[in-house]
Amino acid sequence: METITTDDEREFIRASQIRGRFQRRSSIPVEVFGPSEEEEAAVVWTIYPKSEEQIKKLKEACKDLLPFRGLEDDLLLQIFSAMFEKKVLPQECVVQQGEDGDHFFVIEHGVFDIMMGQNNQQNRIGQYKNSGTFGELALMYSYPRPATIIAVTEGSLWGLDRKTFRTITVTFQLEKKKRLQMFIASVPFFKSLEATESAQILDVVEEKTYEPGACIFLKGEIADKFYIVESGEVKIVAEKPGSKEVGIVRHHKEEYFGESALINNNPRTVSAYAEGEVKCIVMDVQALERLLGPCMDILKRDMSNFEELIELLGPIIDTTV
Ligand SMILES: Nc1ncnc2c1ncn2[C@@H]1O[C@@H]2COP(=O)(O)O[C@H]2[C@H]1O
């Protein structure tokens, strides 16, 4: 079955095959870091602008779908931006059982039958009514379509091809890695590291975004992570005897917190919360120790008590708490 029907879409496929790059007519090209030196010259794909309402609907439709589960908002938005609109007519076969497929679709509107069967004998096994997604299996695996999807009414779909999906995911990860590397290189704590060491650090860090008010860690929890603020503000709070939780210190960009995890595995003595949206670099301390073994030993030896550590690492935590 031919799932790509318009000239525009055929051209898209043709163009995407040219030296593995992605370009399409009437496009707003996006340049990102590429996966190799060649890609330094720019990998390009096309953005199809969408309204906030459409993005909201796409998010809702895709939130539990396997290829999208757990993806960060930034990446999801990039992927949604690459989805092109495909209008369909009643009786149009969008996906044909048994054929190869490399497109995934989100229903904007329209009614679609899900058909399955053998030897021209197709039975309706379900129906999508103005919402839903299909074709995701093609994004994940390379086996023939297990079902046929036919439009019952005229409708509109958002389509995404596997190559673009993969290009965005790979290039986004590389872009993120480069950004993180630059950030890490600028953080005083890591200034003394050799370039190769700071590159290795990337393997043991992850970037995490916290919603306003979110708890980053709680008093009493095992201290196994070390944090650097990438953006936003973090409030450290403690309980003083006879009173409620009180804020004792705030951390901003490039500042550290959770450093007690570097010294011992004792439970946290304070809690940390995001003030507004916060992005942090989170490091697994055991992994960091393995990587920076000698560094960490020196750090620990030189810091025989908490105050010394605080002095060295910068931001002050109220040690009277
Ligand atoms: N019962 C079903 N079995 C297999 N695919 C289904 C079923 N119901 C809906 N589908 C969708 O039909 C699509 C056919 O193309 P895909 O294999 O890429 O992905 C499939 C699913 O998204």
Side-chain angles (χ1 to χ4, degrees), residues 95 103 114 116 125 128 133-139 143-149:
V95 160
H103 282 74
I114 308 163
M116 263 181 150
I125 59 155
Y128 299 105
T133 60
F134 58 87
E136 78 286 359
L137 301 175
L139 237 70
Y143 59 64
R145 300 280 202 195
T148 295
I149 309 290

Side-chain angles (χ1 to χ4, degrees), residues 7 11 17 36 55-56 69 87 96 102 113 125 128 130 141 144 175-176 182 208 247 250-251 257 289 304-305 319:
D7 286 341
E11 185 191 317
Q17 284 163 347
S36 69
I55 296 278
K56 219 168 126 186
R69 217 180 285 159
K87 301 271 186 203
Q96 175 74 58
D102 60 1
D113 277 342
I125 59 155
Y128 299 105
N130 294 307
Y141 316 108
E175 186 187 15
K176 183 171 160 183
M182 278 165 71
K208 257 184 125 165
R250 285 165 198 276
H251 295 288
F257 63 99
E289 281 185 335
S304 51
N305 64 43
T319 52

Side-chain angles (χ1 to χ4, degrees), residues 280-294:
C280 286
I281 290 191
V282 183
M283 282 167 266
D284 178 87
V285 165
Q286 278 187 1
L288 192 66
E289 281 185 335
R290 274 197 299 276
L291 191 69
L292 303 180

Side-chain angles (χ1 to χ4, degrees), residues 65-265:
L65 218 56
L66 205 55
F68 300 95
R69 217 180 285 159
L71 296 186
E72 286 171 11
D73 266 14
D74 290 0
L75 182 50
L76 271 182
L77 288 178
Q78 298 250 31
I79 289 168
F80 294 157
S81 75
M83 288 182 171
F84 59 88
E85 194 174 13
K86 178 179 168 69
K87 301 271 186 203
V88 294
L89 296 170
Q91 304 312 314
E92 188 173 331
C93 184
V94 188
V95 160
Q96 175 74 58
Q97 184 180 349
E99 294 207 338
D100 291 339
D102 60 1
H103 282 74
F104 157 74
F105 298 98
V106 179
I107 298 168
E108 171 67 29
H109 74 265
V111 178
F112 297 82
D113 277 342
I114 308 163
M115 313 287 292
M116 263 181 150
Q118 283 179 334
N119 310 326
N120 296 335
Q121 183 63 49
Q122 293 261 313
N123 299 311
R124 194 177 80 169
I125 59 155
Q127 195 175 59
Y128 299 105
K129 283 186 182 153
N130 294 307
S131 67
T133 60
F134 58 87
E136 78 286 359
L137 301 175
L139 237 70
M140 300 155 60
Y141 316 108
S142 295
Y143 59 64
R145 300 280 202 195
T148 295
I149 309 290
I150 296 182
V152 177
T153 62
E154 65 77 37
S156 178
L157 300 166
W158 293 111
L160 180 72
D161 69 277
R162 182 170 39 197
K163 272 189 176 174
T164 306
F165 173 78
R166 293 183 80 88
T167 302
I168 293 175
T169 344
V170 169
T171 50
F172 190 91
Q173 298 302 348
L174 283 163
E175 186 187 15
K176 183 171 160 183
K177 201 168 171 184
K178 222 161 184 171
R179 187 168 45 77
L180 268 183
Q181 203 164 3
M182 278 165 71
F183 177 74
I184 283 172
S186 75
V187 173
F189 181 65
F190 294 119
K191 278 254 160 75
S192 59
L193 296 181
E194 300 287 334
T196 49
E197 286 170 330
S198 65
Q200 284 176 313
I201 292 271
L202 283 175
D203 296 333
V204 297
V205 303
E206 63 170 324
E207 199 176 35
K208 257 184 125 165
T209 303
Y210 299 91
E211 299 288 318
C215 177
I216 299 170
F217 58 73
L218 264 183
K219 181 180 173 181
E221 284 179 359
I222 295 292
D224 57 357
K225 300 266 194 290
F226 172 59
Y227 303 79
I228 298 175
V229 183
E230 204 181 342
S231 64
E233 187 176 282
V234 172
K235 190 166 86 173
I236 304 292
V237 300
E239 282 162 31
K240 291 211 170 181
S243 71
K244 287 188 183 163
E245 277 195 333
V246 285
I248 52 173
V249 72
R250 285 165 198 276
H251 295 288
H252 303 96
K253 189 174 174 181
E254 294 187 5
E255 293 179 352
Y256 327 91
F257 63 99
E259 60 268 50
S260 62
L262 293 174
I263 325 172
N264 54 48
N265 290 329

